[in-house]
PDB file of all heavy atoms in Angstrom:
ATOM      1  N   GLU K 335      -0.961 -27.947   1.660  1.00 96.00           N
ATOM      2  CA  GLU K 335      -2.191 -28.083   2.449  1.00 96.00           C
ATOM      3  C   GLU K 335      -2.930 -26.696   2.532  1.00 96.00           C
ATOM      4  O   GLU K 335      -4.085 -26.657   2.373  1.00 96.00           O
ATOM      5  CB  GLU K 335      -1.868 -28.576   3.851  1.00 96.00           C
ATOM      6  CG  GLU K 335      -3.045 -28.743   4.743  1.00 96.00           C
ATOM      7  CD  GLU K 335      -2.718 -29.220   6.120  1.00 96.00           C
ATOM      8  OE1 GLU K 335      -1.491 -29.442   6.408  1.00 96.00           O
ATOM      9  OE2 GLU K 335      -3.606 -29.408   6.953  1.00 96.00           O
ATOM     10  N   GLU K 336      -2.128 -25.680   2.746  1.00 96.00           N
ATOM     11  CA  GLU K 336      -2.727 -24.321   2.858  1.00 96.00           C
ATOM     12  C   GLU K 336      -3.320 -23.870   1.468  1.00 96.00           C
ATOM     13  O   GLU K 336      -4.374 -23.321   1.414  1.00 96.00           O
ATOM     14  CB  GLU K 336      -1.723 -23.333   3.313  1.00 96.00           C
ATOM     15  CG  GLU K 336      -2.318 -21.971   3.661  1.00 96.00           C
ATOM     16  CD  GLU K 336      -1.312 -20.951   4.197  1.00 96.00           C
ATOM     17  OE1 GLU K 336      -0.085 -21.161   4.007  1.00 96.00           O
ATOM     18  OE2 GLU K 336      -1.729 -20.045   4.897  1.00 96.00           O
ATOM     19  N   SER K 337      -2.632 -24.268   0.385  1.00 96.00           N
ATOM     20  CA  SER K 337      -3.119 -23.955  -0.914  1.00 96.00           C
ATOM     21  C   SER K 337      -4.411 -24.642  -1.215  1.00 96.00           C
ATOM     22  O   SER K 337      -5.368 -24.015  -1.668  1.00 96.00           O
ATOM     23  CB  SER K 337      -2.084 -24.383  -2.010  1.00 96.00           C
ATOM     24  OG  SER K 337      -0.881 -23.603  -1.899  1.00 96.00           O
ATOM     25  N   LEU K 338      -4.518 -25.926  -0.870  1.00 97.00           N
ATOM     26  CA  LEU K 338      -5.731 -26.682  -1.044  1.00 97.00           C
ATOM     27  C   LEU K 338      -6.895 -26.071  -0.267  1.00 97.00           C
ATOM     28  O   LEU K 338      -8.021 -25.904  -0.772  1.00 97.00           O
ATOM     29  CB  LEU K 338      -5.554 -28.146  -0.708  1.00 97.00           C
ATOM     30  CG  LEU K 338      -6.741 -29.051  -0.809  1.00 97.00           C
ATOM     31  CD1 LEU K 338      -7.229 -29.056  -2.319  1.00 97.00           C
ATOM     32  CD2 LEU K 338      -6.418 -30.482  -0.368  1.00 97.00           C
ATOM     33  N   THR K 339      -6.625 -25.683   0.986  1.00 96.00           N
ATOM     34  CA  THR K 339      -7.651 -25.064   1.784  1.00 96.00           C
ATOM     35  C   THR K 339      -8.143 -23.788   1.182  1.00 96.00           C
ATOM     36  O   THR K 339      -9.334 -23.448   1.144  1.00 96.00           O
ATOM     37  CB  THR K 339      -7.104 -24.844   3.203  1.00 96.00           C
ATOM     38  OG1 THR K 339      -6.747 -26.043   3.798  1.00 96.00           O
ATOM     39  CG2 THR K 339      -8.184 -24.169   4.057  1.00 96.00           C
ATOM     40  N   ALA K 340      -7.178 -22.957   0.642  1.00 96.00           N
ATOM     41  CA  ALA K 340      -7.522 -21.702   0.045  1.00 96.00           C
ATOM     42  C   ALA K 340      -8.389 -21.898  -1.252  1.00 96.00           C
ATOM     43  O   ALA K 340      -9.363 -21.198  -1.477  1.00 96.00           O
ATOM     44  CB  ALA K 340      -6.309 -20.945  -0.298  1.00 96.00           C
ATOM     45  N   ILE K 341      -8.023 -22.856  -2.036  1.00 97.00           N
ATOM     46  CA  ILE K 341      -8.789 -23.166  -3.263  1.00 97.00           C
ATOM     47  C   ILE K 341     -10.163 -23.603  -2.951  1.00 97.00           C
ATOM     48  O   ILE K 341     -11.164 -23.123  -3.550  1.00 97.00           O
ATOM     49  CB  ILE K 341      -8.001 -24.248  -4.085  1.00 97.00           C
ATOM     50  CG1 ILE K 341      -6.716 -23.732  -4.620  1.00 97.00           C
ATOM     51  CG2 ILE K 341      -8.946 -24.672  -5.259  1.00 97.00           C
ATOM     52  CD1 ILE K 341      -5.843 -24.797  -5.241  1.00 97.00           C
ATOM     53  N   GLU K 342     -10.355 -24.460  -1.921  1.00 97.00           N
ATOM     54  CA  GLU K 342     -11.672 -24.942  -1.533  1.00 97.00           C
ATOM     55  C   GLU K 342     -12.511 -23.831  -0.993  1.00 97.00           C
ATOM     56  O   GLU K 342     -13.741 -23.868  -1.183  1.00 97.00           O
ATOM     57  CB  GLU K 342     -11.497 -26.025  -0.476  1.00 97.00           C
ATOM     58  CG  GLU K 342     -10.875 -27.331  -1.045  1.00 97.00           C
ATOM     59  CD  GLU K 342     -10.624 -28.385   0.038  1.00 97.00           C
ATOM     60  OE1 GLU K 342     -10.663 -27.968   1.232  1.00 97.00           O
ATOM     61  OE2 GLU K 342     -10.419 -29.507  -0.264  1.00 97.00           O
ATOM     62  N   GLU K 343     -11.899 -22.801  -0.437  1.00 97.00           N
ATOM     63  CA  GLU K 343     -12.697 -21.649   0.052  1.00 97.00           C
ATOM     64  C   GLU K 343     -12.991 -20.640  -0.986  1.00 97.00           C
ATOM     65  O   GLU K 343     -14.092 -20.112  -1.070  1.00 97.00           O
ATOM     66  CB  GLU K 343     -11.891 -20.981   1.223  1.00 97.00           C
ATOM     67  CG  GLU K 343     -12.632 -19.788   1.749  1.00 97.00           C
ATOM     68  CD  GLU K 343     -11.819 -19.154   2.928  1.00 97.00           C
ATOM     69  OE1 GLU K 343     -10.967 -19.824   3.547  1.00 97.00           O
ATOM     70  OE2 GLU K 343     -12.130 -17.973   3.230  1.00 97.00           O
ATOM     71  N   LEU K 344     -12.039 -20.391  -1.899  1.00 97.00           N
ATOM     72  CA  LEU K 344     -12.181 -19.271  -2.812  1.00 97.00           C
ATOM     73  C   LEU K 344     -12.900 -19.684  -4.117  1.00 97.00           C
ATOM     74  O   LEU K 344     -13.642 -18.870  -4.704  1.00 97.00           O
ATOM     75  CB  LEU K 344     -10.768 -18.722  -3.199  1.00 97.00           C
ATOM     76  CG  LEU K 344      -9.986 -18.047  -2.079  1.00 97.00           C
ATOM     77  CD1 LEU K 344      -8.601 -17.719  -2.490  1.00 97.00           C
ATOM     78  CD2 LEU K 344     -10.732 -16.810  -1.579  1.00 97.00           C
ATOM     79  N   LEU K 345     -12.680 -20.865  -4.635  1.00 97.00           N
ATOM     80  CA  LEU K 345     -13.247 -21.232  -5.876  1.00 97.00           C
ATOM     81  C   LEU K 345     -14.799 -21.129  -5.924  1.00 97.00           C
ATOM     82  O   LEU K 345     -15.382 -20.628  -6.899  1.00 97.00           O
ATOM     83  CB  LEU K 345     -12.792 -22.631  -6.311  1.00 97.00           C
ATOM     84  CG  LEU K 345     -11.619 -22.660  -7.320  1.00 97.00           C
ATOM     85  CD1 LEU K 345     -11.359 -24.092  -7.811  1.00 97.00           C
ATOM     86  CD2 LEU K 345     -11.956 -21.828  -8.581  1.00 97.00           C
ATOM     87  N   PRO K 346     -15.465 -21.707  -4.906  1.00 97.00           N
ATOM     88  CA  PRO K 346     -16.978 -21.600  -4.969  1.00 97.00           C
ATOM     89  C   PRO K 346     -17.469 -20.176  -4.989  1.00 97.00           C
ATOM     90  O   PRO K 346     -18.442 -19.895  -5.689  1.00 97.00           O
ATOM     91  CB  PRO K 346     -17.424 -22.271  -3.664  1.00 97.00           C
ATOM     92  CG  PRO K 346     -16.307 -23.257  -3.355  1.00 97.00           C
ATOM     93  CD  PRO K 346     -15.035 -22.511  -3.751  1.00 97.00           C
ATOM     94  N   LYS K 347     -16.800 -19.276  -4.304  1.00 96.00           N
ATOM     95  CA  LYS K 347     -17.174 -17.862  -4.293  1.00 96.00           C
ATOM     96  C   LYS K 347     -16.913 -17.232  -5.701  1.00 96.00           C
ATOM     97  O   LYS K 347     -17.742 -16.492  -6.198  1.00 96.00           O
ATOM     98  CB  LYS K 347     -16.402 -17.104  -3.288  1.00 96.00           C
ATOM     99  CG  LYS K 347     -16.692 -17.529  -1.835  1.00 96.00           C
ATOM    100  CD  LYS K 347     -15.802 -16.743  -0.842  1.00 96.00           C
ATOM    101  CE  LYS K 347     -16.046 -17.179   0.614  1.00 96.00           C
ATOM    102  NZ  LYS K 347     -15.179 -16.458   1.599  1.00 96.00           N
ATOM    103  N   ALA K 348     -15.775 -17.554  -6.294  1.00 97.00           N
ATOM    104  CA  ALA K 348     -15.482 -17.078  -7.620  1.00 97.00           C
ATOM    105  C   ALA K 348     -16.421 -17.592  -8.665  1.00 97.00           C
ATOM    106  O   ALA K 348     -16.883 -16.914  -9.579  1.00 97.00           O
ATOM    107  CB  ALA K 348     -14.020 -17.358  -7.937  1.00 97.00           C
ATOM    108  N   SER K 349     -16.730 -18.884  -8.541  1.00 97.00           N
ATOM    109  CA  SER K 349     -17.589 -19.549  -9.505  1.00 97.00           C
ATOM    110  C   SER K 349     -19.038 -18.959  -9.479  1.00 97.00           C
ATOM    111  O   SER K 349     -19.766 -18.992 -10.442  1.00 97.00           O
ATOM    112  CB  SER K 349     -17.639 -21.055  -9.295  1.00 97.00           C
ATOM    113  OG  SER K 349     -16.390 -21.642  -9.445  1.00 97.00           O
ATOM    114  N   GLY K 350     -19.385 -18.395  -8.270  1.00 96.00           N
ATOM    115  CA  GLY K 350     -20.767 -17.873  -8.134  1.00 96.00           C
ATOM    116  C   GLY K 350     -21.015 -16.698  -8.996  1.00 96.00           C
ATOM    117  O   GLY K 350     -22.134 -16.396  -9.393  1.00 96.00           O
ATOM    118  N   VAL K 351     -19.912 -15.958  -9.421  1.00 97.00           N
ATOM    119  CA  VAL K 351     -20.109 -14.781 -10.236  1.00 97.00           C
ATOM    120  C   VAL K 351     -19.404 -14.994 -11.632  1.00 97.00           C
ATOM    121  O   VAL K 351     -19.782 -14.306 -12.560  1.00 97.00           O
ATOM    122  CB  VAL K 351     -19.476 -13.547  -9.576  1.00 97.00           C
ATOM    123  CG1 VAL K 351     -20.310 -13.101  -8.383  1.00 97.00           C
ATOM    124  CG2 VAL K 351     -18.027 -13.731  -9.225  1.00 97.00           C
ATOM    125  N   TYR K 352     -18.451 -15.924 -11.704  1.00 98.00           N
ATOM    126  CA  TYR K 352     -17.811 -16.185 -12.974  1.00 98.00           C
ATOM    127  C   TYR K 352     -17.630 -17.758 -13.168  1.00 98.00           C
ATOM    128  O   TYR K 352     -16.518 -18.224 -12.876  1.00 98.00           O
ATOM    129  CB  TYR K 352     -16.469 -15.482 -13.051  1.00 98.00           C
ATOM    130  CG  TYR K 352     -15.828 -15.527 -14.422  1.00 98.00           C
ATOM    131  CD1 TYR K 352     -16.395 -14.840 -15.517  1.00 98.00           C
ATOM    132  CD2 TYR K 352     -14.627 -16.195 -14.643  1.00 98.00           C
ATOM    133  CE1 TYR K 352     -15.817 -14.854 -16.750  1.00 98.00           C
ATOM    134  CE2 TYR K 352     -14.068 -16.272 -15.931  1.00 98.00           C
ATOM    135  CZ  TYR K 352     -14.669 -15.571 -16.955  1.00 98.00           C
ATOM    136  OH  TYR K 352     -14.090 -15.584 -18.200  1.00 98.00           O
ATOM    137  N   PRO K 353     -18.645 -18.423 -13.557  1.00 97.00           N
ATOM    138  CA  PRO K 353     -18.610 -19.887 -13.653  1.00 97.00           C
ATOM    139  C   PRO K 353     -17.488 -20.461 -14.542  1.00 97.00           C
ATOM    140  O   PRO K 353     -17.012 -21.557 -14.298  1.00 97.00           O
ATOM    141  CB  PRO K 353     -19.965 -20.252 -14.201  1.00 97.00           C
ATOM    142  CG  PRO K 353     -20.844 -19.105 -13.869  1.00 97.00           C
ATOM    143  CD  PRO K 353     -19.991 -17.903 -13.904  1.00 97.00           C
ATOM    144  N   ARG K 354     -17.073 -19.663 -15.473  1.00 96.00           N
ATOM    145  CA  ARG K 354     -16.058 -20.140 -16.450  1.00 96.00           C
ATOM    146  C   ARG K 354     -14.694 -20.365 -15.719  1.00 96.00           C
ATOM    147  O   ARG K 354     -13.776 -20.915 -16.326  1.00 96.00           O
ATOM    148  CB  ARG K 354     -15.867 -19.173 -17.592  1.00 96.00           C
ATOM    149  CG  ARG K 354     -17.095 -19.075 -18.521  1.00 96.00           C
ATOM    150  CD  ARG K 354     -16.798 -18.127 -19.658  1.00 96.00           C
ATOM    151  NE  ARG K 354     -18.000 -17.983 -20.515  1.00 96.00           N
ATOM    152  CZ  ARG K 354     -17.994 -17.236 -21.636  1.00 96.00           C
ATOM    153  NH1 ARG K 354     -16.938 -16.559 -21.958  1.00 96.00           N
ATOM    154  NH2 ARG K 354     -19.117 -17.122 -22.346  1.00 96.00           N
ATOM    155  N   ILE K 355     -14.533 -19.905 -14.486  1.00 96.00           N
ATOM    156  CA  ILE K 355     -13.276 -20.082 -13.816  1.00 96.00           C
ATOM    157  C   ILE K 355     -12.971 -21.585 -13.644  1.00 96.00           C
ATOM    158  O   ILE K 355     -11.826 -21.999 -13.431  1.00 96.00           O
ATOM    159  CB  ILE K 355     -13.298 -19.383 -12.438  1.00 96.00           C
ATOM    160  CG1 ILE K 355     -11.875 -19.225 -11.879  1.00 96.00           C
ATOM    161  CG2 ILE K 355     -14.231 -20.115 -11.437  1.00 96.00           C
ATOM    162  CD1 ILE K 355     -10.985 -18.345 -12.706  1.00 96.00           C
ATOM    163  N   SER K 356     -14.005 -22.420 -13.742  1.00 94.00           N
ATOM    164  CA  SER K 356     -13.793 -23.877 -13.625  1.00 94.00           C
ATOM    165  C   SER K 356     -12.898 -24.417 -14.699  1.00 94.00           C
ATOM    166  O   SER K 356     -12.296 -25.505 -14.545  1.00 94.00           O
ATOM    167  CB  SER K 356     -15.171 -24.585 -13.599  1.00 94.00           C
ATOM    168  OG  SER K 356     -15.837 -24.402 -14.829  1.00 94.00           O
ATOM    169  N   LYS K 357     -12.779 -23.654 -15.778  1.00 94.00           N
ATOM    170  CA  LYS K 357     -11.918 -24.092 -16.898  1.00 94.00           C
ATOM    171  C   LYS K 357     -10.414 -23.760 -16.655  1.00 94.00           C
ATOM    172  O   LYS K 357      -9.537 -24.230 -17.331  1.00 94.00           O
ATOM    173  CB  LYS K 357     -12.285 -23.483 -18.229  1.00 94.00           C
ATOM    174  CG  LYS K 357     -13.671 -23.801 -18.710  1.00 94.00           C
ATOM    175  CD  LYS K 357     -14.024 -23.122 -19.987  1.00 94.00           C
ATOM    176  CE  LYS K 357     -15.446 -23.449 -20.502  1.00 94.00           C
ATOM    177  NZ  LYS K 357     -15.738 -22.735 -21.804  1.00 94.00           N
ATOM    178  N   TRP K 358     -10.189 -22.897 -15.690  1.00 97.00           N
ATOM    179  CA  TRP K 358      -8.851 -22.431 -15.386  1.00 97.00           C
ATOM    180  C   TRP K 358      -8.089 -23.387 -14.478  1.00 97.00           C
ATOM    181  O   TRP K 358      -8.688 -24.037 -13.615  1.00 97.00           O
ATOM    182  CB  TRP K 358      -8.842 -21.013 -14.866  1.00 97.00           C
ATOM    183  CG  TRP K 358      -9.495 -19.945 -15.753  1.00 97.00           C
ATOM    184  CD1 TRP K 358     -10.740 -20.016 -16.297  1.00 97.00           C
ATOM    185  CD2 TRP K 358      -8.914 -18.722 -16.097  1.00 97.00           C
ATOM    186  NE1 TRP K 358     -10.953 -18.867 -17.007  1.00 97.00           N
ATOM    187  CE2 TRP K 358      -9.908 -18.068 -16.941  1.00 97.00           C
ATOM    188  CE3 TRP K 358      -7.732 -18.063 -15.857  1.00 97.00           C
ATOM    189  CZ2 TRP K 358      -9.687 -16.820 -17.487  1.00 97.00           C
ATOM    190  CZ3 TRP K 358      -7.518 -16.808 -16.416  1.00 97.00           C
ATOM    191  CH2 TRP K 358      -8.435 -16.218 -17.244  1.00 97.00           C
ATOM    192  N   ASP K 359      -6.747 -23.418 -14.632  1.00 97.00           N
ATOM    193  CA  ASP K 359      -5.965 -24.261 -13.793  1.00 97.00           C
ATOM    194  C   ASP K 359      -5.255 -23.491 -12.680  1.00 97.00           C
ATOM    195  O   ASP K 359      -4.767 -22.389 -12.878  1.00 97.00           O
ATOM    196  CB  ASP K 359      -4.864 -24.982 -14.641  1.00 97.00           C
ATOM    197  CG  ASP K 359      -5.410 -26.014 -15.611  1.00 97.00           C
ATOM    198  OD1 ASP K 359      -6.542 -26.499 -15.346  1.00 97.00           O
ATOM    199  OD2 ASP K 359      -4.750 -26.301 -16.592  1.00 97.00           O
ATOM    200  N   PHE K 360      -5.263 -24.105 -11.511  1.00 97.00           N
ATOM    201  CA  PHE K 360      -4.500 -23.476 -10.397  1.00 97.00           C
ATOM    202  C   PHE K 360      -3.012 -23.525 -10.681  1.00 97.00           C
ATOM    203  O   PHE K 360      -2.463 -24.620 -11.141  1.00 97.00           O
ATOM    204  CB  PHE K 360      -4.777 -24.256  -9.067  1.00 97.00           C
ATOM    205  CG  PHE K 360      -3.907 -23.841  -7.934  1.00 97.00           C
ATOM    206  CD1 PHE K 360      -4.100 -22.603  -7.309  1.00 97.00           C
ATOM    207  CD2 PHE K 360      -2.878 -24.687  -7.529  1.00 97.00           C
ATOM    208  CE1 PHE K 360      -3.306 -22.204  -6.299  1.00 97.00           C
ATOM    209  CE2 PHE K 360      -2.075 -24.270  -6.419  1.00 97.00           C
ATOM    210  CZ  PHE K 360      -2.310 -23.015  -5.787  1.00 97.00           C
ATOM    211  N   VAL K 361      -2.290 -22.448 -10.461  1.00 96.00           N
ATOM    212  CA  VAL K 361      -0.852 -22.362 -10.757  1.00 96.00           C
ATOM    213  C   VAL K 361      -0.022 -22.248  -9.469  1.00 96.00           C
ATOM    214  O   VAL K 361       0.884 -23.082  -9.260  1.00 96.00           O
ATOM    215  CB  VAL K 361      -0.532 -21.129 -11.617  1.00 96.00           C
ATOM    216  CG1 VAL K 361       0.971 -21.023 -11.843  1.00 96.00           C
ATOM    217  CG2 VAL K 361      -1.261 -21.206 -12.944  1.00 96.00           C
TER     218      VAL K 361
END
Side-chain angles (χ1 to χ4, degrees):
E335 181 180 0
E336 190 177 22
S337 294
L338 180 59
T339 300
I341 293 169
E342 290 175 345
E343 179 178 339
L344 295 172
L345 260 186
K347 297 177 180 179
S349 299
V351 292
Y352 190 66
R354 293 183 183 180
I355 196 64
S356 61
K357 298 180 181 180
W358 299 54
D359 291 338
F360 171 73
V361 177

